[in-house]
Amino acid sequence: MRIDSVTIREIRLRLKAPFETSFGSISDRKIVLVEVHAGGAAGWGEVTAGEGPFYNSETKDTSWIVLRDYVVPLVLGKNFESPVEIPALLSVIRGHEMSKAALENAVWDIAAQQHGLPLAKLLGGLQPEIACGVSLGIRSTADELIVAIETELAAGYQRIKIKIKPGKDLEFMSAVRKKLPTIQLMVDANSAYKLEDAPHLKKFDDYSLMMIEQPLEWDDIYEHSKLQAMLTTPICLDECIHNLQQTRAALELKACRIMNIKLGRVGGHTEAHRIAEYCQSKGVPVWCGGMLESGIGRAHNIAMSTLPGFTLPGDVSASHRYWNEDIIEPEVEVTPRGTIRVPTAPGIGYRVRRDRVEALTVRSETFSANDRASVLAAQS
């Protein structure tokens, strides 16, 4: 396929309710979408970076620059046999995995359409439906948290993840376990603790948690290995894993026993597949993490979650949990048994509502291979 044009758009979506983590609270999402045209088809990807450089170093604004000035020029007008060729071409750009992923994932969407297959099938996915968990932001009180958990359990979600930070951890876990002793429960610290907090974190072992996600520094593997040796509860790594090499290092150092794979964080479907395959070979379960995506990012997460090795419920929930109105149709829905049926239409399996995307767009730029060729010809 030849990349004929690329359009990047920034849209604004308001969350139904503020979402609080150890980074802070967010009410509005700035989302950068990437639309690629190739071979008569249009594919969509989503930049999953946050509004500020708090989860990682990428933001919506840095992603716009990197896409416009570096990623798009590298692919525009190029021919590809398969999307798996794209990461090598973009490897000259260090980091900026979320920007790269948005472009690569859009090309995967096109490839699936051209093969007449749902994206999940093209990736090698086997599951007709995926198990869903839910991520709950930090609440003001334990009672408020329990009400939120009971609401999500009633909606069918199979696993509950609660965000924590120092001062809002043990009291909340204790209250949840007292009220709901048998639910699948995990906690996510988003790097809010230090290795010196190990005696405090050891107390988490009393609450039968599935895992503690990323308790220590966002770029650390070594100290997580020290902490894991002190805990009965499995550590799950998130922020500090960006590629297969870091995955290997983490598992060889025994820094974790579970791996969270986020498409944007690892640079797209190609690297996500490599990480999942490696973890499966080592008997390490993986699951799909979420980044408050719109329906486009959510659709890609669903496809990835069908791969072998994704054995734990991921943070892939229904559209209506976050948005009054999504940008795809049909919207993502969760069954009463806490699963999402994998779409069977070619590509990502959902129709992007272009009219709604246009209405939400605050800026956009389109880059055409034909225009670029004309400019280069004139310069020569």
Side-chain angles (χ1 to χ4, degrees), residues 80-89 104 107-108 111 122-123 269-271 273-274:
F80 298 96
E81 291 294 325
S82 167
V84 298
E85 300 168 29
I86 290 178
L89 184 63
E104 185 199 322
V107 178
W108 275 104
L122 185 63
L123 292 170
H269 283 298
T270 301
E271 194 70 4
H273 191 284
R274 296 174 70 208

Side-chain angles (χ1 to χ4, degrees), residues 26 38 49 67 70 80 107 113 177 186 192 206 209 222-223 229 239 250 270 282 289 306 323 327 331 343:
I26 182 172
L67 281 164
Y70 302 101
F80 298 96
V107 178
Q113 293 175 51
R177 273 297 178 227
M186 61 174 286
D206 296 334
L209 301 174
Y222 176 71
E223 289 199 343
E239 282 96 323
T270 301
K282 299 297 182 181
T306 66
W323 319 115
I327 61 173
E331 294 193 350

Side-chain angles (χ1 to χ4, degrees), residues 46-80:
E46 177 174 336
V47 177
T48 56
E51 283 65 28
F54 308 119
Y55 171 81
N56 65 3
S57 60
E58 292 186 75
T59 72
K60 300 306 178 190
D61 291 329
T62 63
S63 179
W64 191 278
I65 294 168
V66 169
L67 281 164
R68 181 192 66 199
D69 296 348
Y70 302 101
V71 172
V72 173
L74 281 171
V75 302
L76 201 60
K78 299 289 178 59
N79 287 287
F80 298 96

Side-chain angles (χ1 to χ4, degrees), residues 156-173:
Y157 288 101
Q158 297 184 21
R159 182 269 290 151
I160 301 295
K161 176 170 84 173
I162 60 174
K163 298 284 188 177
I164 59 169
K165 63 181 179 180
K168 288 199 172 182
D169 47 26
L170 292 177
E171 175 191 352
F172 287 73
M173 283 182 264

Side-chain angles (χ1 to χ4, degrees), residues 52-331:
F54 308 119
Y55 171 81
N56 65 3
S57 60
E58 292 186 75
T59 72
K60 300 306 178 190
D61 291 329
T62 63
S63 179
W64 191 278
I65 294 168
V66 169
L67 281 164
R68 181 192 66 199
D69 296 348
Y70 302 101
V71 172
V72 173
L74 281 171
V75 302
L76 201 60
K78 299 289 178 59
N79 287 287
F80 298 96
E81 291 294 325
S82 167
V84 298
E85 300 168 29
I86 290 178
L89 184 63
L90 299 182
S91 64
V92 295
I93 303 170
R94 294 189 179 184
H96 300 284
E97 289 87 0
M98 291 176 171
S99 304
K100 297 175 186 176
L103 187 289
E104 185 199 322
N105 293 346
V107 178
W108 275 104
D109 182 14
I110 292 173
Q113 293 175 51
Q114 291 178 338
H115 283 82
L117 293 171
L119 178 57
K121 287 291 185 184
L122 185 63
L123 292 170
L126 302 175
Q127 303 176 53
E129 59 183 3
I130 63 169
C132 300
V134 69
S135 177
L136 297 175
I138 295 171
R139 297 305 201 266
S140 299
T141 67
D143 288 341
E144 184 182 338
L145 176 62
I146 289 171
V147 170
I149 291 174
E150 290 178 329
T151 299
E152 303 301 349
L153 292 172
Y157 288 101
Q158 297 184 21
R159 182 269 290 151
I160 301 295
K161 176 170 84 173
I162 60 174
K163 298 284 188 177
I164 59 169
K165 63 181 179 180
K168 288 199 172 182
D169 47 26
L170 292 177
E171 175 191 352
F172 287 73
M173 283 182 264
S174 177
V176 171
R177 273 297 178 227
K178 184 176 180 180
K179 179 72 173 179
L180 303 163
T182 62
I183 65 169
Q184 292 194 81
L185 180 68
M186 61 174 286
V187 297
D188 184 5
N190 290 119
S191 306
Y193 299 86
K194 305 292 184 184
L195 186 59
E196 305 89 83
D197 297 317
H200 177 74
L201 293 168
K202 185 74 177 71
K203 297 176 183 177
F204 289 19
D205 285 341
D206 296 334
Y207 298 102
S208 302
L209 301 174
M210 296 174 67
M211 68 192 87
I212 304 169
E213 188 178 358
Q214 195 72 36
L216 306 181
E217 291 293 339
W218 70 275
D219 58 351
D220 170 80
I221 293 177
Y222 176 71
E223 289 199 343
H224 275 104
S225 72
K226 294 291 188 182
L227 179 62
Q228 181 66 95
M230 303 178 200
L231 303 179
T232 301
T233 305
I235 287 175
C236 171
L237 291 183
D238 175 4
E239 282 96 323
C240 59
I241 303 298
H242 299 91
N243 50 52
L244 178 59
Q245 290 84 353
Q246 290 171 340
T247 303
R248 286 174 175 156
L251 297 188
E252 288 184 14
L253 287 171
K254 299 182 180 179
C256 67
R257 297 176 193 155
I258 298 172
M259 192 71 67
N260 170 340
I261 301 180
K262 289 179 178 173
L263 265 178
R265 193 193 72 230
V266 303
H269 283 298
T270 301
E271 194 70 4
H273 191 284
R274 296 174 70 208
I275 292 171
E277 194 171 53
Y278 180 78
C279 287
Q280 187 181 28
S281 74
K282 299 297 182 181
V284 174
V286 302
W287 56 281
C288 174
M291 292 291 290
L292 300 177
E293 294 93 344
S294 77
I296 291 172
R298 205 167 296 268
H300 281 285
N301 286 345
I302 292 168
M304 180 183 69
S305 298
T306 66
L307 292 174
F310 281 80
T311 57
L312 298 175
D315 287 340
V316 189
S317 49
S319 295
H320 71 78
R321 279 207 72 248
Y322 297 107
W323 319 115
N324 288 314
E325 187 178 1
D326 209 336
I327 61 173
I328 59 168
E329 61 179 15
E331 294 193 350

